[in-house]
Amino acid sequence: MSSPTSAIPRRSFAIIFAVSAATAMGNTGLISVLPAIGRSVGIPDFMVSGIFSLSALLWASSSPYWARSSDRHGRKPLMMLGLAGFMVSMALCGLVVSAGLAHLWPPMVIFGLFLLARSLFGLFGAASNPATQAYVAERTPPEGRTQAMASLAGAFGLGTVIGPFLAPLFVYPVIGLAGPLYSFSLIALVMLFVVWRYLPDQRVAPEAQRPRKPVVGGAAKEKGMWRDPRITPFLIYGFIVATCQTAQAQSLGFLIIDKLHMSPAQAQYFIAIAMMFGAVAGLLAQWGLIRMFEMTPRQLLRWGVGVAALGNLIVALSPGYYGVVAGYAVSALGFGFARPGFTAGASIAVGIDEQARVAGAIAAVNGINVIFAPAFVLLYERYGPLPFLLNTALMAGLLVYAFRNTALKNADPKPVPREAATMATLEKSDEGGAA
């Protein structure tokens, strides 16, 4: 039996969903405890957000390579490699944090080791993202791809709910704030076993292993994807959206600690509450509203940045904690529209044989944006509302871009004749059943 949004068997889709959710859970759980870790160890705020920078660069540079590798070696091996990289990186980060909390080394040494341990995720953890996205995209007809991508993006949303919720529960008495990192590493180990044991090893067809075709408007090499006029507007849009969402999430913890005038450990519970509200709002968008109103990529691109701009403005102007939580939830609702909007739009814009390459480009965009987070935290240190006001301005600019750019205006899938759609669905179902 296949999943509602594609011809993928339900168990296979559930495993892929869980892979994405586990990674998101660990990453957002880490983000939620990083402000408390940094201030407990003595690392400056902007350097705390910089811990993700090297990892982000490695993620962006390695994602296209892993996307091509998934074409050659299959999706499952790359998912396993990504999970293994995530597992080892989290375990090493836990060891570094334990050393920092015990004051075994100076804060700057801890920062350097943390940076290197996290970089393993950027280098190897990036392998799973394009593999999972391509797995879903190549088995989903264009008319159902928006909902399929929204469902997969919902895994990220679910992870962002569970991660901050679990993080305070994993702060154990002896190991303290390092507990969540060890726990998320164990969760990744469990998921690695599940993928190895239960996900069918579906390799790509032999013709998909041939050299890729030149893309329209670009060179024959992979770099052409970044200059392809079909894709570039979505990459620009996605990069700015991801940058603003990451910057907001990494500034949120420091904002809450300062507004509540609490110690980092005491404020951790309130940080988790705020991030959970935001994650639930994102899930509402991806699992509820997109399906309820059958929203198209073009609508998602516009509504996403418009709502996110409003949410960031509320955060910037809120005098207290509850206003910050409300604004963060509103902005998360907007980002919950925007992310599947540019992902599905880019996927629909190209042919089936280019899905892995698009997935690699999208993964790179989602990774490299993190390098700008320290600059936003520096702005926060200068004037608290400034990063959120900047986000508001950027989202408003993207709203104009979504209305004026030709590719974004024409992002919706083309109508498919009923007979062709029926035949395509039957063919996809046969492929899924054979797996």
Side-chain angles (χ1 to χ4, degrees), residues 422-435:
T422 302
M423 290 300 298
T425 302
L426 291 174
E427 291 173 2
K428 292 284 183 180
S429 300
D430 290 341
E431 292 175 5

Side-chain angles (χ1 to χ4, degrees), residues 150 281-295 337:
L283 284 179
L284 174 63
Q286 293 165 350
W287 287 4
L289 298 179
I290 292 177
R291 296 186 179 189
M292 181 185 303
F293 297 106
E294 298 183 351
M295 299 177 73
F337 289 141

